[in-house]
Amino acid sequence: MADEHAQNPEVESEENGTDRRDFLKGGIALGAGIIGTAAVACAPEKEAPAAKAPAEAAAPVAAPAKKAEHAGPEIHVPPGKLDDYYGFWSGGQSGEIRIVGVPSMRELKRIPVFNRDAASGWGGDDFSKQLLGGKLSGDTHHVHLSYNDGTYDGRYVYVNDKAGARLARVRCDTMEVDMITDIPNSQGTHGIFPQRHKTGYVMCNAEFRTPQVNDGRDMDDPTKYGALHTAVDGETMEVKWQVMIEGNLDLCATDYKGKYSFATCYNSEGGVTLEEMMAAERDHLYVFNIAAIEAAVKAGKTMTIGDSDVPVVDARGEDGPYVIRVPVPKSPHGINIDPTGTYGICSGKLSPTCTVVELDKLDAVFAGEIKPRDAVVAEPEVGLGPLHTAFDGRGNAYTSIFIDSVVTKWNIDKAIQAYNDETIDPIIQKIDVHYQIGHINASMSETKDADGKWLVALCKFSKDRFLNVGPLHPENDQLIDITGDEMKLVHDGPTYPEPHDAVLVKREMIHPSKMMVRDGPRFEMYEKMAAEDGVDLMKDSKVIRKGPNKVRVYMVSVAPAFSQSSFRVKTGDEVQLVITNLDSVEDLSHGMCVSKHDVNFLVNPQDTKTMTFTAGPPGVYWYYCPWFCHALHLEMRGRMIVEA
Ligand code: CUK
Ligand code: CUA
């Protein structure tokens, strides 16, 4: 039996499908048992889709009339041909961003952000070390690009670090991080979203409530905890203002007009244990009124918290001019705005529903003319454990359903009609994904240009889908063709854990440079250093003693040689290497590796990099170029002579 399984995973999938697909339902039921009333929200028998056998649930709910087989777009990208989309993936615990070509799903690049990357030297070279402030881990969840007029402007990628409460920015010409901002008064910086009408604020949510100020006071009084919704300037990366809220803030979104930002809130109870966090039947969607908050900041109706001098608007408690709370079923997760900017869709997580909020009604809510809940225009049942929603630009929504391991395609207009007419079924199709899907996104889905071609399903568990590689399995990023009436699963993509979110951007919108672009904070740092030493980075080769135990070594490289075949330092010297790659040939990267000194960094064409280390015991240490660059690449080396 076991042998047969090993040889024929297909058979195993068929046989054991039920167990594997459903194991989490048991887990949830167990959890619900502990917390009593929570069982109501996710009791399987209450949910029609879950009550069905998996095979049945997998079939389209509204079985479409038989029609000609939809051919679908080509997923195979032949050798030498290019993908249509840049996919920007967050790397989760790996702390990085990845660029994936779509539809081939080929991983094209990893951009180190909050991690130490041995290949490029990120986290070890002087600039990145300064940016990271000694931290070498992070937890990237959400990647979003800068916008103009509702679509991507191709300039920046922003990504959060949940672990360290930071926001990083990657510039799209060099595909490198140029700035990292610490978010004050926050822990668990989770949902982020840039404004979409122009490159304005990047809104950042604090998921964890903490004492404000968090300096040892109020630790045992969670009623005094708060969480901050933070506006970071997307151009300067400065923190502009914060809004203090009583509940925690999970996912984030912005509208298309620059009027509102949104945050889902689970744990409106303000609990600190699981039981406390799940006590109430309703949580809410916070809606922030940006103009009102800006006016308060301008008028000085703000406070500061602790050491931070960022103005904070206190919006705890009741609805008011700064924030309103739209009640939604308990523990919502994703909030996604449809490409027309008309609806905000809040995924239920513990409720099998998505709550559709009509954004144009929010003005009336803020004006006190209608109640917050009156802005809700639909609440379709989509399956057990809805997390995030993507769009095809044709009026359909695609919601990732974690517990059921499906993607549910549903129609927004029909869901609105169904809100008052139970005979209408807005569900178009459910497709199995493998397994336990988290985020989902469609091509250009977060813009007004959503084009309905590809859907990426980021599955948290891959189980039997790939060769067994030990206890840690790859994640499974699946590609789904959404051009037709029915979704079609076309590709399984194993990835190193753990992509959380991804956005798919038309390739015409991104214009990376083939040579290093010598500007920005990194080059300002180098130019300042060079000016101080009277050195031209693009040609000079010098060893400068900066103090009794400090040496700076300037070198340039042209394949296959460094400009110095040796340099001398003393044991214990702090040595700073400054290497410039003068080659201006596409793809001709060099690097610098110093034997037995833990020094290894990449220097791209027309780039400069610096790294600082302490010279070891007396002796000869070869330094060499670790990047294969030339027929004489192995000869591209020299001696660091360390004297006593
Ligand atoms: S969260 Cu991971 S599945 Cu951090 Cu965007 Cu929803
Ligand atoms: Cu330069 Cu290898």
Side-chain angles (χ1 to χ4, degrees), residues 481-496:
D481 167 10
I482 55 167
T483 54
D485 292 338
E486 280 185 44
M487 299 177 276
K488 272 191 181 170
L489 176 64
V490 294
H491 183 82
D492 268 16
T495 50
Y496 190 65

Side-chain angles (χ1 to χ4, degrees), residues 186-495:
S186 294
Q187 283 179 29
T189 295
H190 187 218
I192 63 158
F193 217 104
Q195 287 191 294
R196 299 193 227 215
H197 63 304
K198 62 170 190 177
T199 305
Y201 302 128
V202 183
M203 305 309 306
C204 304
N205 280 346
E207 186 178 340
F208 302 145
R209 304 167 65 247
T210 51
Q212 302 292 350
V213 184
N214 195 14
D215 60 356
R217 73 186 73 173
D218 301 331
M219 293 192 288
D220 295 313
D221 185 1
T223 61
K224 296 223 175 99
Y225 293 8
L228 282 301
H229 183 63
T230 301
V232 177
D233 185 316
E235 300 282 1
T236 64
M237 292 293 280
E238 283 168 343
V239 179
K240 289 300 192 188
W241 45 257
Q242 302 187 289
V243 182
M244 174 135 61
I245 275 302
E246 66 286 347
N248 62 196
L249 304 168
D250 194 14
L251 270 293
C252 187
T254 59
D255 65 356
Y256 277 77
K257 294 177 179 164
K259 280 170 85 170
Y260 300 120
S261 59
F262 307 90
T264 49
C265 171
Y266 66 93
N267 189 24
S268 56
E269 300 87 341
V272 291
T273 63
L274 181 61
E275 290 84 343
E276 289 167 11
M277 290 188 211
M278 306 211 358
E281 279 311 312
R282 284 213 184 270
D283 283 306
H284 43 249
L285 175 70
Y286 285 110
V287 182
F288 297 91
N289 184 334
I290 293 188
I293 295 163
E294 283 177 328
V297 170
K298 211 168 170 195
K301 290 187 202 157
T302 55
M303 56 187 201
T304 58
I305 299 174
D307 296 338
S308 158
D309 55 11
V310 173
V312 176
V313 174
D314 190 347
R316 286 175 296 179
E318 300 296 303
D319 284 358
Y322 312 125
V323 63
I324 52 142
R325 296 155 182 82
V326 178
V328 296
K330 80 156 74 184
S331 292
H333 187 58
I335 167 71
N336 297 90
I337 310 302
D338 88 297
T340 67
T342 312
Y343 304 110
I345 292 173
C346 188
S347 304
K349 193 170 78 182
L350 292 194
S351 158
T353 53
C354 280
T355 303
V356 182
V357 176
E358 187 174 335
L359 304 188
D360 277 347
K361 295 196 166 170
L362 294 172
D363 284 351
V365 178
F366 273 103
E369 291 156 22
I370 57 172
K371 293 217 163 61
R373 183 69 196 174
D374 295 338
V376 172
V377 293
E379 209 153 59
E381 287 208 3
V382 291
L384 273 191
L387 292 186
H388 298 281
T389 299
F391 307 95
D392 61 9
R394 300 187 292 269
N396 301 312
Y398 300 77
T399 301
S400 59
I401 313 287
F402 179 78
I403 298 172
D404 284 342
S405 284
V406 299
V407 171
T408 299
K409 177 181 178 182
W410 53 281
N411 183 272
I412 301 171
D413 283 342
K414 277 201 172 163
I416 293 166
Q417 294 161 22
Y419 201 41
N420 299 309
D421 180 352
E422 282 180 3
T423 63
I424 294 172
D425 182 3
I427 308 296
I428 299 169
Q429 184 199 359
K430 294 186 180 185
I431 188 171
D432 283 346
V433 288
H434 313 81
Y435 303 91
Q436 267 68 47
I437 180 175
H439 267 277
I440 190 170
N441 231 328
S443 40
M444 299 296 291
S445 177
E446 298 285 9
T447 74
K448 66 176 185 186
D449 297 330
D451 61 11
K453 290 222 168 75
W454 300 109
L455 186 74
V456 167
L458 305 179
C459 299
K460 303 288 186 188
F461 295 66
S462 63
K463 299 180 201 174
D464 57 354
R465 300 292 281 194
F466 307 111
L467 285 177
N468 180 359
V469 289
L472 177 63
H473 289 35
E475 313 292 294
N476 188 10
D477 297 350
Q478 295 186 301
L479 186 70
I480 296 171
D481 167 10
I482 55 167
T483 54
D485 292 338
E486 280 185 44
M487 299 177 276
K488 272 191 181 170
L489 176 64
V490 294
H491 183 82
D492 268 16
T495 50

Side-chain angles (χ1 to χ4, degrees), residues 20-170:
R20 240 176 287 104
R21 299 190 64 77
D22 290 353
F23 83 106
L24 270 164
K25 286 179 189 164
I28 283 284
L30 193 69
I34 299 169
I35 51 180
T37 56
V40 178
C42 46
E45 55 278 5
K46 200 176 161 230
E47 301 327 317
K52 289 178 188 167
E56 204 183 320
V61 165
K66 232 190 155 58
K67 50 178 85 84
E69 185 75 356
H70 166 69
E74 187 56 55
I75 131 169
H76 179 62
V77 180
K81 292 282 185 275
L82 305 180
D83 281 293
D84 293 329
Y85 298 87
Y86 284 92
F88 292 91
W89 257 240
S90 69
Q93 308 89 326
S94 68
E96 62 197 13
I97 291 177
R98 299 178 197 152
I99 305 179
V100 174
V102 176
S104 74
M105 300 293 274
R106 298 179 293 204
E107 182 182 294
L108 304 177
K109 184 174 186 144
R110 294 179 170 201
I111 304 172
V113 183
F114 300 109
N115 55 325
R116 173 77 167 94
D117 175 47
S120 61
W122 183 261
D125 75 89
D126 296 325
F127 176 74
S128 59
K129 224 171 167 172
Q130 183 184 306
L131 269 193
L132 294 169
K135 294 185 195 135
L136 292 176
S137 72
D139 184 16
T140 56
H141 281 230
H142 301 113
V143 268
H144 291 290
L145 279 72
S146 52
Y147 285 79
N148 189 38
D149 192 22
T151 196
Y152 298 128
D153 68 2
R155 296 192 302 146
Y156 300 118
V157 183
Y158 305 99
V159 68
N160 73 306
D161 169 25
K162 177 169 170 175
R166 291 176 289 179
L167 180 73
R169 183 174 78 180
V170 169

Side-chain angles (χ1 to χ4, degrees), residues 557-562 581 583 588-591 624-630 632-636:
S557 63
V558 177
F562 291 112
N581 177 355
D583 280 304
L588 212 168
S589 296
H590 298 293
Y624 66 96
C625 168
W627 291 76
F628 213 108
C629 56
H630 192 276
L632 293 172
H633 153 74
L634 294 179
E635 286 80 354
M636 188 168 175

